[in-house]
Every structure is written in C-alpha cells, then in structure tokens.
Amino acid sequence: MGKRVLLFNCEDAEKWRDSWGIWQSIMSKRSTEDTYIVHNMYELEQQPRVDEVAAAGLVIISGSHYSAYEDLPWINRMVELLPQYVATGARIVACCFGHQVMSRALGGKVERNPSGRFVLGVERIRLRREALEACGLLQPFADGLPPPPTTSTSTAGASAPDAPSTSQARQASQAAGPSTAGADDASEWSMLQVESHGDCVTVLPPGAVLLADSASASYEMYCWGSNVLSFQFHPELACGVVLEKIYPAVGPSGARKLTEEEAAASYAQLTTAKPQSDVVIAAIHHFADHGCRAPAAAEAAAASAPQPQPQLQQEHPVHGALSAVVGHTREALQSGLAQAALQCGQLAQMNGVAAQQYGDAAEAAEKLADRTADLKVRVGPVHKTLGGLAALEAQVEALGAVVEALELESVVLARQVGASE
C-alpha cells in the first residue's frame, strides 16, 4: 500500500515552478503507489492542518531562496506549525531551507554563513559513523560508500548542541572561501554533495543528533526524535540543473554573490565532480520506511567517551517491574503530548476560522455604518424640502379662504344687481 506524501514547496520563483516534480521522481523510485499532495507553503491558506499531516506517511520540505529567519507571515507560521507537525509522529525530510526552518522551529539558530560568502558547488560532507549507526541510518551509507579510513578519528559521536564540531583548521577553510572547501579531501569517511546556500544552522536544536558536517556548515545533517531527518545539501539537484538555474543568478553575470575566483571554482566542481546523491536518496527511502531511533538511545550509543555507569551487584526483582512502569509512563506521556499538540493545532485552526468570520462581520458592520451615514447626508435636503412644503400648504389653505370669500362676495353682488333690474 502506498504512502500519502506531502510536498511542502517553499520556493515561489517561476523558474522552480515544477520543482516538486523532482522530489516526486526521487520518491517514485521507492514506490510507484504513493500519492503526492503539493502545499505551496508561501501561501498561508495552503499550509496544511495538523490532522492532515498526522494522516500523511511522509512530509518533504523543499529549499527556497528565502532565509529561514526572515520576518514573513508564511515563514513565521511555519515555525509555529512545525513542532505540532513533528509531534504527530509523521516522518519529515527537510532539505536546505527546510533544514534551516526546521532547526529554527525546534529551538536551533540560523544565521549567515560564518565565512560571509555564498556556497555553491560540490562539497565534501564528513559522516559520523557511530551516530548514523545509533540512529539506525548507517546501512544505506555503508552500502553506497567506500568504508571509512581506519585511521580517521573524525567520526566520533554527536557533538553537544551548543558546541560547533569543526576544528580551527576547518574554520580557517571557511574563511578562505566555502565554495572550494574540501572537495578533494577524501582522508575521512565522507561523500560529495551539491551545496547552494547563503545561510546555515549555527546552533543545533536541543535533542538533535548530528550525523554529518562540512567545511562550510557545522551541522550539515541531523536526526531529531524518531521522525525528522534534516540536511543542508541538495541530493535532489543534478549539477546540470544547478548550472542552469542557480549559477547564472549568483555568479558574475547575476547577483555577484560569488567572486570571480569562487565562480570559477564553483563551475569547475559542477562540471567535473560527481555528487553521491544516490546514497542520500537511498537513506531517505530507508527513513521513509523505517524512521530513525529516538535521540536518547542514539546519543548514548554515539557518545565518543561515555561515562561509566555504576552497576548494582545484584538486581532486585522489583527493579525490572519499576523499569517497566517507567517505560509505560514515558510512552503514555509522549502519546499525551502528541495528542495535546494535535488538539492545539485543531484549536488554532478553529480560532483562525472564528477570527475570519469575526473579521467578515466587522467588515459588514463597517459597510452598514457607511451606508447609514450616506443616507443621513441624503435625507437632510429632503427634510428641508418637506419643511418648505408645509409652509406652501399653509399658503394654499390661506389662498383657498380668500377665494371662498371672493366667491361669497360675488354671489351677494350678483343678487344686488338682479334686484336693481
């Protein structure tokens, strides 16, 4: 049975009008039975209700030329809704802008690239093997990539959310120009991916498990809970598409976000490098079917230097019962929180409808008041006219009395004339 896939389109530029079809093509390789529903998130009325997301099998949030921190109604509304969407348990894949707005919604931070430069090209992404394994996402990467070098120590577990994972050397490479960073360094377990971004996540959301980083972005990919997979790079974009639609806009002949040297390096990468997109696409398919493990278990398994835990010399039978009670209580609380989030979303929708109806009623009342005022203006001259008519009627009555008197005098006069004859 196919899934109901919601595509959150966040790009309103005409040249990307059919970009949702790229994601549909990617996901159709996993199943041809899925149904796809596109929501243009930049139109507030198209942002789905929480219950619609809860009924979906998968949600994909696209990239965008907008910044996730821009003060725009549709972006702010997304930030409000995303935690509610996540609480439903629906599996969500967030890419580029989607990665950034998801990070902001979950408590992270998004800023301009630390180098101050736009990143466009093919970049080497460092993978964290232990973290991938702990989250249940290792297999697609292990199947599609050469094994990591045995001497590498870079694949340690997830970093603390408030501490960048990059070294001073890697920060120096950022300052030198991110569009050329790390494309040829294969000394660590890594992959090549297409990059196009002026912003990046600078603070990881609390509870997220870091899966990959790069020279230009400390937090390239992470999972959150069991149902969020988020990444900065673009596995959906072929190099030819980037050269056609993005490079002209940011290069020397466009907005000049790249220096001539950066543009030359970007062009060279996009025409010669071979991004390993299929590996990430396989991981997305795996995530769509299985999700990932909860962050608590993943963090514990991925920690590079776990603290030793004291062991009981002999486990009392009541310990197992207490653990079971705690586990059931935790599950009940999580279920309750998800239900509460769903109800909050529904109440928000109802409040929105009520506000709209109130607004319509207020608008109708305002129009009625304007109409009444207009009628009052028009009635004024009528009242004056009616007052004049009353005076005229009195004059007519007086004239009638005079006529009657004249008629009586004429009768008397006629009688006198007749008598004299």
Side-chain angles (χ1 to χ4, degrees), residues 308-322:
Q309 299 296 323
Q311 299 292 327
L312 294 174
Q313 291 183 351
Q314 184 176 2
E315 183 177 347
H316 195 279
V318 76
H319 293 157
L322 287 173

Side-chain angles (χ1 to χ4, degrees), residues 40-107:
N40 293 321
M41 301 299 283
Y42 49 82
E43 297 181 4
L44 281 171
E45 64 275 12
Q46 288 200 34
Q47 295 192 5
R49 301 187 310 271
V50 176
D51 60 322
E52 291 180 282
V53 175
L58 182 68
V59 176
I60 299 175
I61 310 176
S62 79
S64 176
H65 73 274
Y66 291 97
S67 293
Y69 48 75
E70 287 190 66
D71 187 18
L72 295 174
W74 70 272
I75 294 178
N76 294 334
R77 181 61 175 156
M78 278 192 73
V79 172
E80 294 175 2
L81 285 174
L82 281 173
Q84 299 177 49
Y85 293 163
V86 172
T88 68
R91 290 168 185 160
I92 302 176
V93 174
C95 172
C96 194
F97 170 86
H99 170 70
Q100 296 168 11
V101 75
M102 176 64 77
S103 300
R104 180 185 166 195
L106 294 179

Side-chain angles (χ1 to χ4, degrees), residues 20-40:
W20 58 267
I22 298 175
W23 279 110
Q24 182 173 346
S25 175
I26 287 173
M27 297 310 299
S28 66
K29 296 177 181 178
R30 184 193 66 84
S31 172
T32 58
E33 298 180 357
D34 294 340
T35 58
Y36 298 88
I37 301 174
V38 180
H39 292 270
N40 293 321

Side-chain angles (χ1 to χ4, degrees), residues 336-350:
L337 287 172
Q339 184 64 27
L342 177 59
Q343 292 174 352
C344 286
Q346 293 172 340
L347 286 173
Q349 293 292 334
M350 293 171 62

